[in-house]
Amino acid sequence: MDKKTQTGNAGETHQRAGDDQRLTTNHGVPVSDNQNSLKAGANGPTLLEDFVLREKIFHFDHERIPERIVHARGSAAHGYFECTDAIPDLSIASLFAEKGKRTPVFTRFSTVAGGAGSVDTPRDVRGFAVKFYTDEGNWDLVGNNIPVFFIQDAIKFPDLIHSVKMEADRGYPQAASAHDTFWDFISLMPETMNTMIWAMSDRAIPRSLRMMQGFGVHTFRLVDADGKSTFVKFHWTPKLGIQSLVWDESAKLQGADNDFHRRDLFEAIEAGDYPEWELAIQVISDELAESLPYSVLDATKIVPEEDAPLRVIGRMVLDRWPDNFFAETEQSAFLPSNVVPGIDFTNDPLLQGRLFSYLDTQKSRLGTTNFHQIPVNAPKCPFANMQRDGMMQTMIPKGRANYEPNSLDEAGEDPGPRETGTVFHTYEDNTELGNEPSEKLRKRDETFGDHYSQPRQFWLSQTDNERAHIASAITFELSKVSLPHVRDRVLSVIQNIHADLGQRVADGLGIDLPKAAKPFREPVELAPSDALSIQKNWKDTLKGRKIGILFAEGSDKATIDKLKSDVEAQGGSVMLVAPKVGEMKVKGGKLAADGQLAGSPSVIFDAVAMVLMPEQVEKLKKDAAAKAWVSDAYAHLKAIGYCPGSKALLDHCHIEADEGVVKNEDFVAAASKRYWDREPKVRDLA
């Protein structure tokens, strides 16, 4: 690095002004540190007096209206949370107090980078936000489908999002990280490496919203009746298992169905196949937290399940689609600051900034401080305070009591609500993890400085096929970067994750591998964790899966009916596809298709089967849509079922039989899997 570029206490990049223009606030005050918010001790909470942070976040929150700046593209549903393992030993939170207790929820899933009019299936982190309408107020668990985040301090959030959004001078690319500014930013911010490798994995291209995990990301606190605090992380695990797309499939889905995830969620709920997740907690003792080689307050780190096993405490079921998409999904407002007694914050500097930012941004987006009165945001328990008026006030408070203390009750008037003093009590100790609260610092604790050990652990935990996907994703993204020095810097940084990763990407780009960057702290070897791999945890099931059956005039109805009933008996759904959607004559009667071949490509299905007569196959050999239907299914590693007549279409497309290309009588058994071993036959991977 040049003399103007320095590293901070945890290895963060500081670029100092020389003769260059100085960085200032909007009022001209020079900014001494644009990487760290002001905290009460290196591990302490963020201070409200940090005017640099507040101005930066305030401006960022109001940059765009009225759609969300991030997470604009979203889908949501109503449902309930049921406690299955009460934890009064850990928390006084009422929703966890009794086995079998149900709490209404509203859950919103989203992409991060794209606008509201973008598509469902780009490579992106997915938001996973749950509003619990508890009997003690609303609790919003606002997280993602990836358990770590790019940055350690909220003061960097505007910079991160500015870099990944469409470039400021040209307005593109939309909903994509494969461009100069994103990779320039993260290559200068080694703390981003852990989330980067998750985002370049198959985690960022989920098959369905119903088939992705969710995480609270931050370390929170559970507080019991005696005021004892325990560190905790929250995990959502889908009942259907985790499933991903392959990259080519994801890209083609963007053309085939912009609303693929939204449609999938809607259709599942309409069919009564209600999406379900388990809620698990990782309980992290003070002793474990202090023994780890990284800080549990660092949002760029996980705590491996091998160190803190998951304890399942409940389940969430989504069973009702919103009555009105705008009124509910678009107007829903989630706030990390919404917690209930028994759940509290830690001094995570990213979380601390979010507590300010989310409340502020809702005023800009929804136009009023009374956004909490919108039905989807309103608590379902009684609420009362002295806050009055404001734009779009819908309540009609009575009496004169809009302040307290007051003595109006002595005159027979309603004095209004009073503080309780005992229900919600903020955890008082501010010396967690050795923090010295008497200091006011723009500084990170040194334990935040290891940026490569966990990305390396993630890399080593994947299957060979998953590692090839990661290397190929980075290669693709960097191929879209036009600045050679940015590509070189990325390559120098990712070598610290693993030398093989750096070499694969360099070879894929056809450029020389530069010298590895020097890490701020040398990585430590962490044991691989199978929990970090999708393929190692793949569920071979047809439940929740969608199967396409291609037929045409003269096809055998009995074969089609049997395939359909066998798939449905295993919990899958079937869509009949034909060259035309009108009712046509088939052997054994008449049959109408659910979708036209040209408009129902195989990318929208988890597996496909064909029931065709030879004369129909001869016509389909000349049809690009038919050839793509089987070729894409093969290239996307899906099961393909065929009958004697339809095998000629496979031969015409040079598709060889393997474990996943089977006769129709063996199709149902094969359809629950993806055939990863097939991939080297269909594409070159890094």
Side-chain angles (χ1 to χ4, degrees), residues 265-274 321:
L265 182 65
F266 175 84
E267 289 180 349
I269 293 172
E270 285 290 292
D273 295 329
Y274 300 136
W321 190 257

Side-chain angles (χ1 to χ4, degrees), residues 21 23 25 30 46 72 136 204 263 267 325 515 568 642 684:
Q21 183 179 5
L23 183 69
T25 68
T46 300
E136 295 181 307
R263 190 186 312 277
E267 289 180 349
F325 190 89
K515 182 180 178 181
E568 291 173 344
Y642 64 89
D684 289 329

